[in-house]
Amino acid sequence: MPAFQMLKKTSNFPNRNCKFAQFKNLTMRNILLVAILFISTLSFAQQDELSVVEIKTDIYEISYSQTYQQPLIIDYTVICDATARSYPREGITFKKYPGVKTSSSSDYSDNIWDKGHMAPASTFGCKKEWLETTFSYTNCALQHQTLNRGAWAA
């Protein structure tokens, strides 16, 4: 076979590959699109399954799972100066957030678990209302008493 014909035959081959590559890319895009939609649906389904509520107060924002009765994500900014006067915690009790299914004091009694503040009470102790706001079941998670009363408290 002459060299020219051989080149001509091989030059047609990439064109067929190119069409196949275009079909393959289109198929991969469709698969990727379906995968993204599937993952998005799972994410929303999981959020519904966890019965997540968003709570916003003057000092923090929380994504809270009513299923686990625990905060999932919390966002707060340290406001009080570390040298500022701090109000005493005595007499402040944990309260439920209206309309949200939360844990209760019985979940934390007679075991090794403490109510661990996620937005720390000490961080907001310079203003009595802020300190009281941290004492909510939506702002606490099961925390081993050794951690809560030790390194976490520092």
Side-chain angles (χ1 to χ4, degrees), residues 69-89:
Q69 297 177 6
Q70 298 288 298
L72 301 173
I73 300 170
I74 184 161
D75 182 31
Y76 66 90
T77 302
V78 176
I79 301 170
C80 298
D81 184 335
T83 60
R85 173 180 174 229
S86 186
Y87 284 88
R89 298 169 123 191

Side-chain angles (χ1 to χ4, degrees), residues 12-75:
N12 286 336
F13 187 71
N15 289 338
R16 280 183 276 163
N17 270 347
C18 188
K19 287 178 185 175
F20 177 72
Q22 288 173 349
F23 173 76
K24 186 176 168 185
N25 286 342
L26 182 61
T27 303
M28 290 304 289
R29 269 190 242 135
N30 289 342
I31 290 171
L32 185 59
L33 180 62
V34 168
I36 289 170
L37 289 172
F38 180 71
I39 290 169
S40 298
T41 303
L42 278 179
S43 175
F44 287 120
Q46 186 178 29
Q47 196 168 32
D48 287 344
E49 185 179 301
L50 294 176
S51 188
V52 176
V53 292
E54 303 294 324
I55 298 167
K56 183 176 177 157
T57 71
D58 291 341
I59 58 173
Y60 58 76
E61 293 181 30
I62 292 179
S63 290
Y64 187 85
S65 168
Q66 294 183 95
T67 302
Y68 294 127
Q69 297 177 6
Q70 298 288 298
L72 301 173
I73 300 170
I74 184 161
D75 182 31

Side-chain angles (χ1 to χ4, degrees), residues 10 12 38 63-64 84 97 100-101 111 122 126 128 134 137-138:
T10 56
N12 286 336
F38 180 71
S63 290
Y64 187 85
Y97 197 87
V100 179
K101 181 182 175 190
N111 58 45
S122 60
C126 65
K128 189 173 183 182
T134 67
Y137 285 107
T138 58

